[in-house]
Amino acid sequence: MTATTAPPTTAPSGAVPSSPAQRTVYLNGDYLPETEARVSIFDRGFVMADAVYEVTSVLDGKLVDFPGHMARLDRSLSELGIRNPMDSDDYLAVHRRLIAENGITDGMIYLQISRGNGGDRDFVYPPADTPPTVVLFGWNKPGLADNPQADTGLTVVTLPDLRWSRRDIKTVQLLYPSMAKMEAKARGADDAWLVEDGLVTEGTSNNAYIVKDGRIITRALSNDILHGITRAAVLRLAREAQMTIEERSFTVDEAQAADEAFITSASAFVLPVVRIDDATIGSGTPGPVARRLREIYLEESRKAAI
Ligand code: PDD
């Protein structure tokens, strides 16, 4: 290090964008090149994780389960008393413009709304008329629906669920899920299932299911888990296909003895789980229920995408 070394003008992000080098992003009413989109360091999303988000998948240039994501966004905002500055049609227009401007065929759109710039850092919320900060950006994920993990299955480890008790609100407080994911990777697994009082809550960024004797078992909705939009769609389709569903908690032992296990999320759709800690699930390959649900979900999602 020499005294003449100029400090970097911006912190190196470390992350390489997967979409156009200069993708167009949305910030508070403007469409901007990503390097020109700036948010205040006083923004409560930055200093307090006082923000909520949604991630919507794009298949064939269309949005999957969009109304569900909008309904959950409304709910997250109202639980936190953050004003929703736009309506669903406005958000739809922004999503569509980002898809078009960034040439997204298969990929994701991320939306985040924070309580805005509260000035000096304060635990007290800023005045209710403080404008929320609205950010959206997207990225291409070619082959999103052809994930090879659908054929191999995922491996998971179980870890204690050390998150807060309002997991039904989709906030950007993602540090513990991120730590759990890193721990899973360090143990050679793909992901972690989180456990509280001996019962599985959900995955780090997905809902968790097991299948036993043809019954699909998944934790009931409560403040303990995120109310997955993919979960709602998959359970509806499973019911329509005359499958039996039990919405109840299950232990790690029960999961390890299950015939099948799987996860759902907007980015993974339905993915089988073939190992939980040291236990092989079923035959150790994706089972028929998870495979069928993935197929039905993708088929119906493509049809209903807007
Ligand atoms: N994660 N549970 C948690 C803790 C999640 O973070 C997610 C979504 C889900 C599944 O919800 P949905 O089906 O609505 O995507 C369940 C998103 C994809 C993410 O953080 O990237």
Side-chain angles (χ1 to χ4, degrees):
M1 169 80 86
T2 67
T4 53
T5 306
T9 49
T10 54
S13 72
V16 180
S18 55
S19 278
Q22 264 295 26
R23 84 185 100 183
T24 299
V25 302
Y26 175 90
L27 172 61
N28 295 333
D30 294 322
Y31 293 86
L32 303 164
E34 62 184 49
T35 49
E36 285 172 30
R38 295 180 197 280
V39 176
S40 166
I41 60 162
F42 301 111
D43 194 280
R44 287 182 61 93
F46 181 60
V47 289
M48 294 276 184
D50 188 354
V52 302
Y53 76 106
E54 284 296 330
V55 180
T56 305
S57 60
V58 178
L59 286 177
D60 311 321
K62 291 183 177 172
L63 295 154
V64 173
D65 286 335
F66 187 74
H69 288 286
M70 289 299 102
R72 185 172 61 192
L73 174 68
D74 256 339
R75 181 177 181 277
S76 294
L77 289 168
S78 82
E79 289 298 305
L80 296 177
I82 300 176
R83 185 165 57 83
N84 192 344
M86 286 157 60
D87 66 26
S88 236
D89 287 343
D90 297 331
Y91 289 117
L92 180 58
V94 178
H95 277 74
R96 284 182 167 159
R97 182 152 165 194
L98 292 180
I99 289 170
E101 290 209 12
N102 295 293
I104 299 173
T105 308
D106 290 345
M108 316 299 303
I109 302 285
Y110 176 85
L111 175 167
Q112 175 171 327
I113 302 178
S114 81
R115 202 182 300 275
N117 178 350
D120 289 345
R121 181 177 173 278
D122 194 342
F123 282 80
V124 173
Y125 293 168
D129 59 358
T130 305
T133 303
V134 182
V135 171
L136 285 96
F137 56 85
W139 60 96
N140 261 303
K141 220 174 164 188
L144 178 63
D146 304 314
N147 188 339
Q149 288 175 315
D151 296 318
T152 55
L154 301 172
T155 59
V156 303
V157 292
T158 58
L159 292 173
D161 195 338
L162 301 182
R163 298 172 301 163
W164 77 330
S165 305
R166 290 302 308 274
R167 302 162 194 151
D168 56 310
I169 309 175
K170 196 164 173 64
T171 78
V172 301
Q173 304 176 92
L174 295 174
L175 186 53
Y176 186 69
S178 203
M179 289 168 70
K181 183 96 177 179
M182 292 305 288
E183 179 63 21
K185 297 273 180 201
R187 295 191 195 178
D190 296 305
D191 201 359
W193 276 14
L194 304 175
V195 180
E196 188 170 59
D197 300 329
L199 301 165
V200 173
T201 52
E202 57 187 334
T204 57
S205 58
N206 44 66
N207 291 116
Y209 307 73
I210 57 173
V211 180
K212 188 70 181 175
D213 300 327
R215 289 168 291 120
I216 299 166
I217 303 160
T218 194
R219 196 172 174 115
L221 297 181
S222 72
N223 293 355
D224 299 337
I225 60 168
L226 186 74
H227 301 189
I229 302 306
T230 320
R231 176 189 184 281
V234 165
L235 292 186
R236 178 176 50 78
L237 295 168
R239 282 195 184 95
E240 285 171 15
Q242 315 300 326
M243 297 179 180
T244 307
I245 295 153
E246 282 179 28
E247 291 187 66
R248 64 164 175 87
S249 302
F250 55 85
T251 63
V252 175
D253 282 350
E254 192 180 3
Q256 289 179 321
D259 301 327
E260 288 185 43
F262 63 94
I263 57 139
T264 64
S265 78
S267 47
F269 308 124
V270 179
L271 280 182
V273 170
V274 295
R275 174 168 284 272
I276 301 173
D277 293 329
D278 293 329
T280 299
I281 307 307
S283 61
T285 55
V289 174
R291 277 185 184 280
R292 181 84 190 108
L293 285 176
R294 180 177 175 86
E295 207 176 274
I296 304 176
Y297 178 74
L298 282 170
E299 194 181 307
E300 293 301 318
S301 295
R302 284 188 199 280
K303 271 194 222 155
I306 58 171

